[in-house]
Amino acid sequence: MFKTRIIYKLIFAFLLFAAMILLPYTLTVINQTKKMIEMEESIHPPETEEYAELHREFVPELIDKILPFGIYTLVMALFFSLFFMRRVLVSLKELQRGASELKNGNLDARLEVTSHDELGDVTQAFNEMAAALKESTTELRKKDLYVNAMLDPLWVVDEDNKITDINPAFTRLFGHTREDVIGASVYDFFDDKNAAIIRSQLIEKREKGIPSIYEISIFTKEGLQIPVLISGSPIFTGDRVTGKIGIFKDFRYQNELRNELKQSRDYIETVMDSIEDQLIVVDKDYRIIRANKKALAESSVPPIGKFCHTVTHESDSPCWSAGLDCPVQKVFLTGNNYTTTHRHTGPGGEARYHEVVASPVKDSSGNILHVIELLRDVTRRVRHEEVISLKNRELLALNSVARLLSRSLKPDEIFAKVLDRIIEMMDMDGGGIFFIDEFKKDMICQYHKGISDEYVRLMGRVRIGEDIPGRVAVTGQSITSSDISRDNRIDRSVIKHSGIKGYCCFPVRGKEKVIGVFCIFSHKAHVFTVEEENILSSIGEMTGIALENIKLYERMKQLYEVQRKRREEEHAQLLSISARLGSALELKGIMVHVLEIIKESFRADFAWMLVSDTDGNLVLKAATALKEKIDETIYEQGVSSIEGYAIKKGPPSVINDINSADRFYVYDGIRELSLQTAVPVPMHIGKKPVGVFALYYTGHRDLSEEEIHFLEIISNFLAVAIERSEYFSRAIAEKDLSEAVLESVADGIVTVNDSSRVLSANAAFRKIVGRLSISPVGIPICDLFRYSEDNIDFRLLLGECLEHALSGSSTGREGVLTTAYGGKMSVMINSYP
């Protein structure tokens, strides 16, 4: 834009001012002159034309005279204006220069005061203003430098909570530029929760002139939330709050540390509470400062702040004062871990045993601050150790008896030794073993020690239910007495007056009942403990099991003999069946005999065999009855029959009531025999079904696994035999067909073996050699040709062909043969290996 200089304005103003003065003056002079001439003319009219012309030229001449004067006046006005305006212009230029330097940042610019008028005052005021501006600008620059150098973000907020200024750190941390935030509301950078927090801080504190510090999360430009700590202060203008300033401290690291500390603390507390054992932390004064959930639950009083000996031992003095190993004291003295077992008092006052593991808690310098005690309840373990100690004694005794019982299966060898071992183990003087006789309902003493044979013959038989052994046999409960002669529970017994004092009678238990009684005695008083009673009871059970094992062994021997004989019979039956099946190629004649053997072996009432034909029908192959139905179709393909179901299912099955099995169709001939149980056994060659044979019974019949397995073996034999028979039948048919074809061939054909003997010959060959009625089979082939000189070459030719055939190559030759009729013919001989 064009800028007009002030000097031109001043010159123009002076010229205009001069023109404004000169122009009215000139016009006034001219007008007055005209009026004077007109007046003069009115008074003295011009006398001559020259005089009138003079009057008319006077005004223009006057104007011509005034014009130079006007120009002179303007020029002088210009010079005077320039002269008087120079000083003003110099002062204004100086002010302009100083202002430009201030504008360009030169706060040291100063103007020289050249006058003592208003311009001088203005210049002096400019210098003072520049000095004050420099001072304030320096302070502002320092403050701005401080603000810009701050690592923490800062914003300034006005009375309407709108942002008026931020520092560069605000942009670096949050990504918002000055253009983004200046004039924006502070609430635009927070979610609802954090906006409520900052609103309460601004309203409740800073608007009241109270500074505040609080934690909050602010949105970055990317939409993320950063946790910060805001230090907010009000800005006062006089007594009124005109703004707020907030300094942000990036609190992410501190927040992470705090969260980690919280998580670590929570994790430690969780770990402590997850420990199933009690855990307490004890200080140097033996006071509990920490405890896990288990310790809190197990304590009858809140343990925190209490002495450890008060909580665990219910004692007012430390446990070391009572002579116990104090784990806390040991750890503080030695600085090492210490483990011991203490007897404590439980919440209900019961005795509890705890294994205490004490460990030191040290600072970075190695000084022990506290002691951690882990109290593991080992009450059950201690109780178990006591029980195990008792059980070990029982096991030693039982093992010794068990070794005796397991050495032999002969009663006389083991029971006498067991009785001796019991008497020795219990420190008794004698005893006996009574076994129950089920038929006579009494008990007999079969083994004894410490009593005479005569006494045993007289008193060694006791009725069941009588005397002490008989009562034990009935009740199955042991009877013990430390002194039977004084025992009021036993009033009627021969033993009571026999001089015996310590007495014990306990049962010999089998699997389901009492099978005998052990009796041991001593001539002196003996108190039988619970442990001893348990040992004797266990020995009684072991002896009963051993006796049953002996009986079972004897029974197994008998069963083995029966089974062995049965196996021999089955083996003989299999041999008979396999011999019959293996020796016959035509099964029709022997299949009925095979079925009869199976029927008798399994005590069946009826047996038959059905074979599958090419159409899937079941054809009767053999039967112990219904002989007129052989080779007749019994069940067509698709009919649901017992035999058809067995072929599809696979393994043999037992159908106990064929009349109520509605899903099966039963052949009418079977129904006429009034049969009830069917046992169909399928016959397969690999996966190929061959047929089925079935056993029928008039009553209910169950087969054992061994019998079913035996039937499966027989079915395999029968399947192979049927397949072999069918193959043989096909081979015979094919042989007959091939022989018919050979006989019909017009050429002579003969086969010989490696000894050159004839195996077969057709009619044409027999005719050639002249043996139509006599078979040439078995005769050397060369002997079939008549000897003559003409046949020598032919014999050689035949021998050469045979050699070629035996060597594995084929050949064809021609020769001349003299026939039996004396004629000659040309013969083509072909030999094939």
Side-chain angles (χ1 to χ4, degrees):
M1 181 178 178
F2 178 73
K3 185 181 291 184
T4 305
R5 297 184 63 181
I6 190 171
I7 187 171
Y8 299 135
K9 291 181 180 180
L10 291 174
I11 293 172
F12 178 75
F14 276 110
L15 293 175
L16 181 62
F17 178 74
M20 290 174 63
I21 295 174
L22 183 61
L23 185 61
Y25 174 76
T26 303
L27 292 176
T28 301
V29 171
I30 292 172
N31 287 334
Q32 290 297 326
T33 303
K34 285 181 178 183
K35 286 180 181 181
M36 289 177 65
I37 293 173
E38 289 176 357
M39 289 175 63
E40 184 180 356
E41 287 179 353
S42 63
I43 297 173
H44 300 285
E47 295 177 356
T48 62
E49 185 65 28
E50 291 84 2
Y51 184 75
E53 184 66 26
L54 181 63
H55 275 235
R56 286 192 297 271
E57 292 178 357
F58 178 77
V59 175
E61 289 180 0
L62 179 60
I63 294 173
D64 292 337
K65 297 293 186 180
I66 294 175
L67 183 59
F69 175 75
I71 293 172
Y72 171 76
T73 303
L74 290 176
V75 172
M76 293 302 293
L78 176 62
F79 282 117
F80 277 109
S81 64
L82 290 175
F83 175 75
F84 286 106
M85 289 178 60
R86 179 177 177 277
R87 294 181 61 191
V88 176
L89 290 176
V90 170
S91 299
L92 291 177
K93 286 184 179 181
E94 285 295 313
L95 288 174
Q96 181 186 12
R97 181 182 61 81
S100 298
E101 290 185 2
L102 288 178
K103 177 182 176 182
N104 294 329
N106 183 13
L107 299 180
D108 294 326
R110 298 293 186 270
L111 302 179
E112 182 180 357
V113 179
T114 59
S115 64
H116 298 283
D117 51 8
E118 288 80 357
L119 289 176
D121 294 338
V122 171
T123 304
Q124 183 65 33
F126 175 84
N127 292 335
E128 293 175 356
M129 180 193 69
L133 182 62
K134 179 181 179 181
E135 183 179 356
S136 60
T137 302
T138 302
E139 292 296 327
L140 288 175
R141 284 179 177 175
K142 288 182 180 179
K143 292 179 180 180
D144 189 59
L145 182 62
Y146 298 155
V147 171
N148 293 335
M150 289 176 61
L151 297 176
D152 297 328
L154 174 146
W155 69 10
V156 180
V157 181
D158 61 11
E159 295 177 287
D160 297 327
N161 296 324
K162 293 186 180 297
I163 301 173
T164 60
D165 196 8
I166 61 171
N167 67 341
F170 189 93
T171 302
R172 288 196 300 270
L173 181 59
F174 304 121
H176 301 292
T177 62
R178 291 180 61 85
E179 292 76 9
D180 297 333
V181 299
I182 299 301
S185 174
V186 294
Y187 304 115
D188 295 341
F189 301 90
F190 304 97
D191 58 13
D192 294 340
K193 178 181 177 182
N194 291 285
I197 295 174
I198 194 169
R199 185 178 289 108
S200 63
Q201 294 292 328
L202 291 174
I203 294 174
E204 296 178 4
K205 292 188 177 181
R206 276 186 251 176
E207 290 185 358
K208 296 180 181 180
I210 303 173
S212 61
I213 299 176
Y214 54 94
E215 185 180 347
I216 203 169
S217 294
I218 185 171
F219 281 117
T220 64
K221 190 173 184 179
E222 290 77 13
L224 302 176
Q225 281 191 328
I226 296 180
V228 294
L229 186 71
I230 297 182
S231 299
S233 300
I235 300 174
F236 288 95
T237 301
D239 295 334
R240 188 170 64 89
V241 176
T242 57
K244 282 84 69 176
I245 185 171
I247 299 175
F248 298 81
K249 181 69 176 179
D250 188 354
F251 217 61
R252 285 179 294 183
Y253 179 69
Q254 290 81 356
N255 194 44
E256 290 178 1
L257 290 178
R258 183 174 60 187
N259 291 335
E260 290 178 0
L261 289 174
K262 184 178 181 301
Q263 291 176 1
S264 178
R265 183 189 64 189
D266 294 342
Y267 179 75
I268 291 173
E269 291 180 355
T270 302
V271 170
M272 289 178 61
D273 291 337
S274 301
I275 297 174
E276 296 183 357
D277 302 322
Q278 299 182 48
L279 188 145
I280 60 176
V281 181
V282 184
D283 62 10
K284 293 184 178 181
D285 297 329
Y286 299 97
R287 290 186 182 273
I288 299 174
I289 60 174
R290 292 287 298 274
N292 67 345
K293 186 184 297 184
K294 181 70 172 179
L296 295 174
E298 292 291 332
S299 179
S300 58
V301 295
I304 306 300
K306 300 289 192 306
F307 291 107
C308 60
H309 48 80
T310 302
V311 174
T312 57
H313 293 281
E314 295 184 353
S315 173
D316 295 333
S317 58
C319 51
W320 55 264
S321 63
L324 297 176
D325 289 337
C326 179
V328 177
Q329 183 192 45
K330 295 288 186 181
V331 171
F332 275 120
L333 291 176
T334 63
N336 300 321
N337 296 340
Y338 188 77
T339 303
T340 186
T341 301
H342 275 191
R343 182 180 182 276
H344 295 153
T345 303
E350 73 280 5
R352 305 286 291 274
Y353 293 90
H354 289 94
E355 181 182 60
V356 183
V357 179
S359 303
V361 178
K362 300 180 180 180
D363 59 12
S364 59
S365 301
N367 300 319
I368 301 177
L369 303 177
H370 307 102
V371 173
I372 297 176
E373 280 191 347
L374 185 67
L375 290 80
R376 178 168 298 169
D377 191 344
V378 293
T379 304
R380 294 181 61 184
R381 189 186 75 185
V382 173
R383 303 278 190 245
H384 287 165
E385 289 175 353
E386 295 175 354
V387 173
I388 289 172
S389 178
L390 296 176
K391 294 298 181 182
N392 282 337
R393 294 171 56 191
E394 296 180 12
L395 288 175
L396 290 175
L398 294 177
N399 285 336
S400 62
V401 174
R403 284 195 297 270
L404 294 174
L405 294 174
S406 61
R407 285 178 182 175
S408 175
L409 292 175
K410 297 179 180 180
D412 294 338
E413 292 183 1
I414 61 175
F415 290 122
K417 294 180 179 179
V418 169
L419 180 61
D420 293 341
R421 183 70 184 92
I422 294 174
I423 293 173
E424 178 185 355
M425 178 180 64
M426 302 301 295
D427 194 19
M428 296 284 108
D429 295 322
I433 304 177
F434 291 83
F435 289 111
I436 297 175
D437 189 340
E438 295 288 346
F439 297 101
K440 296 182 179 179
K441 302 297 181 182
D442 60 6
M443 303 171 60
I444 302 174
C445 181
Q446 295 186 1
Y447 304 97
H448 59 86
K449 183 178 182 180
I451 52 179
S452 63
D453 294 336
E454 184 66 25
Y455 183 81
V456 172
R457 282 195 296 271
L458 294 175
M459 309 301 298
R461 182 177 292 272
V462 180
R463 297 289 298 176
I464 296 178
E466 297 180 357
D467 212 337
I468 297 176
R471 290 163 58 185
V472 172
V474 172
T475 61
Q477 302 294 325
S478 301
I479 296 178
T480 61
S481 177
S482 60
D483 189 351
I484 196 170
S485 62
R486 298 181 180 181
D487 197 337
N488 296 326
R489 299 174 301 165
I490 303 171
D491 52 356
R492 291 180 297 175
S493 176
V494 178
I495 303 173
K496 190 174 181 68
H497 307 287
S498 62
I500 294 175
K501 293 187 177 182
Y503 185 78
C504 176
C505 188
F506 56 95
V508 177
R509 296 181 181 275
K511 185 177 181 181
E512 298 178 352
K513 60 183 179 179
V514 177
I515 58 178
V517 173
F518 265 107
C519 295
I520 56 175
F521 63 86
S522 174
H523 295 297
K524 57 183 179 181
H526 181 87
V527 178
F528 291 89
T529 64
V530 176
E531 176 191 350
E532 292 175 338
E533 292 183 9
N534 292 335
I535 294 175
L536 294 175
S537 177
S538 300
I539 292 174
E541 293 179 358
M542 292 172 58
T543 306
I545 293 173
L547 183 59
E548 286 192 340
N549 288 339
I550 292 173
K551 293 180 179 180
L552 179 63
Y553 172 72
E554 296 295 334
R555 185 180 176 185
M556 290 297 294
K557 285 179 62 177
Q558 296 174 0
L559 292 176
Y560 173 75
E561 290 298 325
V562 173
Q563 192 70 13
R564 185 179 62 81
K565 292 179 180 180
R566 179 177 176 82
R567 290 295 184 189
E568 290 177 354
E569 293 176 0
E570 291 179 351
H571 184 65
Q573 293 170 358
L574 287 176
L575 288 176
S576 175
I577 292 172
S578 61
R580 288 178 177 272
L581 295 175
S583 61
L585 296 176
E586 177 60 40
L587 296 181
K588 292 183 178 179
I590 65 166
M591 195 58 69
V592 175
H593 297 289
V594 172
L595 289 179
E596 288 290 348
I597 293 174
I598 299 173
K599 172 186 169 186
E600 293 176 2
S601 300
F602 288 89
R603 297 182 293 281
D605 298 304
F606 172 72
W608 70 353
M609 178 187 298
L610 306 179
V611 179
S612 300
D613 62 8
T614 56
D615 297 328
N617 303 321
L618 293 180
V619 179
L620 181 62
K621 193 72 173 178
T624 57
L626 307 174
K627 295 182 180 180
E628 69 280 8
K629 304 293 183 178
I630 300 300
D631 293 332
E632 184 176 315
T633 299
I634 301 299
Y635 299 113
E636 294 183 353
Q637 197 273 338
V639 175
S640 177
S641 63
I642 295 173
E643 286 76 8
Y645 172 75
I647 292 176
K648 293 179 181 179
K649 183 179 179 182
S653 58
V654 179
I655 301 174
N656 289 318
D657 192 355
I658 61 175
N659 297 316
S660 62
D662 297 334
R663 58 175 177 162
F664 298 126
Y665 169 72
V666 181
Y667 184 64
D668 294 336
I670 299 297
R671 292 187 182 276
E672 293 174 358
L673 296 176
S674 300
L675 300 172
Q676 180 181 357
T677 302
V679 183
V681 183
M683 298 181 295
H684 291 84
I685 297 293
K687 295 184 178 180
K688 174 186 175 184
V690 175
V692 61
F693 75 90
L695 303 177
Y696 284 86
Y697 298 86
T698 56
H700 181 78
R701 180 73 160 89
D702 287 328
L703 271 68
S704 64
E705 293 183 1
E706 294 178 351
E707 291 175 325
I708 292 176
H709 180 66
F710 186 53
L711 288 173
E712 289 179 335
I713 295 175
I714 294 175
S715 71
N716 293 332
F717 283 167
L718 294 176
V720 173
I722 292 173
E723 188 75 8
R724 179 170 168 266
S725 175
E726 292 179 355
Y727 175 77
F728 180 70
S729 298
R730 289 194 300 270
I732 291 176
E734 292 174 358
K735 179 182 177 183
D736 293 341
L737 178 62
S738 63
E739 288 179 353
V741 171
L742 287 174
E743 290 294 326
S744 63
V745 175
D747 297 327
I749 300 175
V750 63
T751 59
V752 297
N753 60 13
D754 55 357
S755 300
S756 299
R757 293 182 179 274
V758 176
L759 294 175
S760 63
N762 66 347
F765 179 79
R766 292 196 302 272
K767 182 179 179 181
I768 292 172
V769 297
R771 286 180 172 268
L772 288 174
S773 59
I774 302 174
S775 174
V777 175
I779 300 174
I781 189 170
C782 291
D783 294 345
L784 296 176
F785 305 114
R786 178 176 296 180
Y787 179 77
S788 67
E789 295 295 334
D790 295 332
N791 284 347
I792 293 176
D793 294 336
F794 182 80
R795 288 172 180 261
L796 295 175
L797 177 65
L798 180 61
E800 184 180 353
C801 288
L802 291 176
E803 289 179 2
H804 278 285
L806 293 176
S807 65
S809 61
S810 61
T811 184
R813 300 291 181 89
E814 291 185 2
V816 178
L817 172 65
T818 302
T819 66
Y821 304 104
K824 295 183 180 179
M825 63 176 61
S826 178
V827 179
M828 171 67 74
I829 300 177
N830 289 314
S831 62
Y832 300 95

